[in-house]
Amino acid sequence: MITDIIQKISSETGMPEDEVNDKIEEKKLELSGMISDEGAAYIVAKELGVTIRKIQRLNIGNIITGMQNADVIGKIVKVSEKAFEKDGNKGRVMSVILGDGTGTIRLSLWNDEIDKFSGFTRGDTVHVRGFVKEGLFGPELRLGRYGTLLRSDETIQDVLERKTEYERSPISELAEGQHRQIRAPIVQVFGGNIFYEICPVCKGRAKEWKCQEHGDIQPEYGLVISGIADDGTGNIRIVAFNDAAEKLIGMSKFEAKRLFDMKKKMEAVIEKIPLGRELVIDGRVSRNALFDRMEFVVNGVSGIDMKREIETLLA
Ligand SMILES: [Zn+2]
């Protein structure tokens, strides 16, 4: 990952990459070789006033809708681009499928963002930093204003191609590690804090109006909903973030925040959430080590599509 750090230093300071490299080598000598290349790179970055966030790399198979801060290394397996027109405005969108040994994900690049892809081609490995939204085909990576798309020096051998459509399963048969679809109503939503603070600059977690890197900030809010889904065969605790959470509770996070702010009580939001609606929920079964129980981490939510339901029954 040292190439990422060098690229970041270079792009923020305008210093050519080989010069940054020399500085890192000098730093290692200065410290009598007591430090790794990466460690030296962090120090050089700091001295030049460039902030490097510690990279928390995600396996592609673990990406879920609503993540605000996703670091992903993937191999480019497919690229397509098309022009579109919406409300009289012309635009372009590029779809890049990235994969690793745990799955694949779509990276959508819009208009000027497409320039960041120049020089890349199928088979290259890239490091993407961005956020995850629910797209037409499930979760998709977006760069947004602060995202980056850089070359990675890692080698990814095999890419696990995953079916875009999740296999339907009764809750009683869910097992750890599976990506599955369930059809069930939400029968209970837990209270407690459903909002968390996000730094508007780096999209990292913030606490009490402070970001570790950016100091005092006016936070944006993320939404996390947990509850119980029950399909008659069994029940499971479900957890959903942001876009997926909004769909699950049938209201936007702004609406939820408004309800909360009016009464300063979480119940004001919880009581407005309609329970018992049949939903089709895609997600991943994961073990919560802290509480030693299974959870269904929601990836996407849709209402019941009767035509599709009948086809599923007949299949
Ligand atoms: Zn921040």
Side-chain angles (χ1 to χ4, degrees):
M1 309 288 263
I2 186 161
T3 48
D4 293 349
I5 303 174
I6 293 172
Q7 285 176 35
K8 174 118 198 273
I9 295 173
S10 171
S11 74
E12 286 200 10
T13 61
M15 185 183 284
E17 288 187 16
D18 41 352
E19 213 170 296
V20 177
N21 224 332
D22 291 346
K23 279 212 174 294
I24 292 170
E25 289 305 320
E26 274 168 36
K27 184 57 66 185
K28 277 166 61 190
L29 284 176
E30 192 186 313
L31 298 166
S32 340
M34 298 290 284
I35 189 162
S36 70
D37 290 2
E38 198 165 319
Y42 275 105
I43 295 174
V44 169
K46 199 156 184 208
E47 286 175 353
L48 294 170
V50 177
T51 313
I52 307 279
R53 292 170 48 81
K54 200 112 186 88
I55 292 159
Q56 288 184 318
R57 184 183 161 182
L58 279 164
N59 283 330
I60 290 178
N62 291 337
I63 294 175
I64 57 167
T65 296
M67 286 176 164
Q68 297 285 325
N69 206 341
D71 261 300
V72 178
I73 290 174
K75 187 159 152 180
I76 300 168
V77 291
K78 204 173 147 194
V79 184
S80 58
E81 189 181 341
K82 67 174 183 213
F84 64 88
E85 200 171 328
K86 197 184 175 193
D87 307 327
N89 296 313
K90 288 191 164 81
R92 289 184 306 154
V93 59
M94 180 184 261
S95 158
V96 180
I97 306 295
L98 300 176
D100 67 9
T102 65
T104 56
I105 188 155
R106 179 181 305 262
L107 163 70
S108 292
L109 300 171
W110 299 80
N111 303 315
D112 294 348
E113 289 172 10
I114 295 173
D115 298 343
K116 295 189 180 173
F117 192 77
S118 72
F120 292 119
T121 182
R122 231 179 65 160
D124 288 348
T125 301
V126 289
H127 174 197
V128 178
R129 177 170 288 174
F131 61 97
V132 187
K133 264 188 96 68
E134 181 69 9
L136 267 180
F137 309 95
E140 71 181 38
L141 267 174
R142 299 281 185 88
L143 293 184
R145 246 169 98 190
Y146 303 102
T148 54
L149 170 62
L150 300 168
R151 191 172 297 277
S152 167
D153 52 4
E154 284 198 34
T155 318
I156 291 173
Q157 299 289 359
D158 299 313
V159 168
L160 175 74
E161 298 272 1
R162 201 168 68 204
K163 285 192 293 178
T164 44
E165 185 116 356
Y166 292 4
E167 201 179 307
R168 179 76 63 86
S169 169
I171 288 176
S172 60
E173 288 173 23
L174 293 176
E176 193 178 339
Q178 291 175 332
H179 289 86
R180 288 290 183 272
Q181 181 176 81
I182 57 173
R183 176 186 164 164
I186 305 305
V187 294
Q188 190 186 345
V189 171
F190 298 115
N193 202 351
I194 62 173
F195 304 106
Y196 60 91
E197 294 180 15
I198 299 167
C199 166
V201 183
C202 65
K203 302 286 173 191
R205 282 282 179 115
K207 217 175 171 185
E208 290 166 354
W209 294 53
K210 278 193 174 55
C211 168
Q212 281 204 329
E213 267 174 44
H214 298 103
D216 292 334
I217 47 111
Q218 171 132 24
E220 293 171 3
Y221 290 92
L223 182 65
V224 53
I225 294 291
S226 56
I228 302 280
D230 191 323
D231 69 353
T233 72
N235 63 63
I236 191 165
R237 186 181 262 260
I238 57 165
V239 185
F241 296 90
N242 299 315
D243 303 22
E246 290 183 335
K247 285 193 189 161
L248 203 67
I249 64 174
M251 75 176 90
S252 72
K253 63 179 166 194
F254 300 106
E255 176 63 8
K257 190 75 174 61
R258 195 184 61 83
L259 286 171
F260 171 75
D261 286 340
M262 276 191 327
K263 293 197 176 155
K264 294 283 168 215
K265 265 177 25 195
M266 214 48 82
E267 292 75 42
V269 184
I270 306 291
E271 70 187 19
K272 284 277 194 292
I273 298 172
L275 299 176
R277 284 177 310 151
E278 286 276 298
L279 296 170
V280 172
I281 309 170
D282 291 329
R284 177 171 53 87
V285 187
S286 103
R287 174 155 297 278
N288 182 321
L290 193 60
F291 298 104
D292 190 32
R293 64 176 177 227
M294 292 225 290
E295 287 179 349
F296 197 66
V297 184
V298 178
N299 237 332
V301 181
S302 53
I304 301 290
D305 172 348
M306 280 323 288
K307 188 167 168 282
R308 180 73 67 82
E309 288 303 304
I310 290 163
E311 284 165 4
T312 309
L313 283 173
L314 297 175

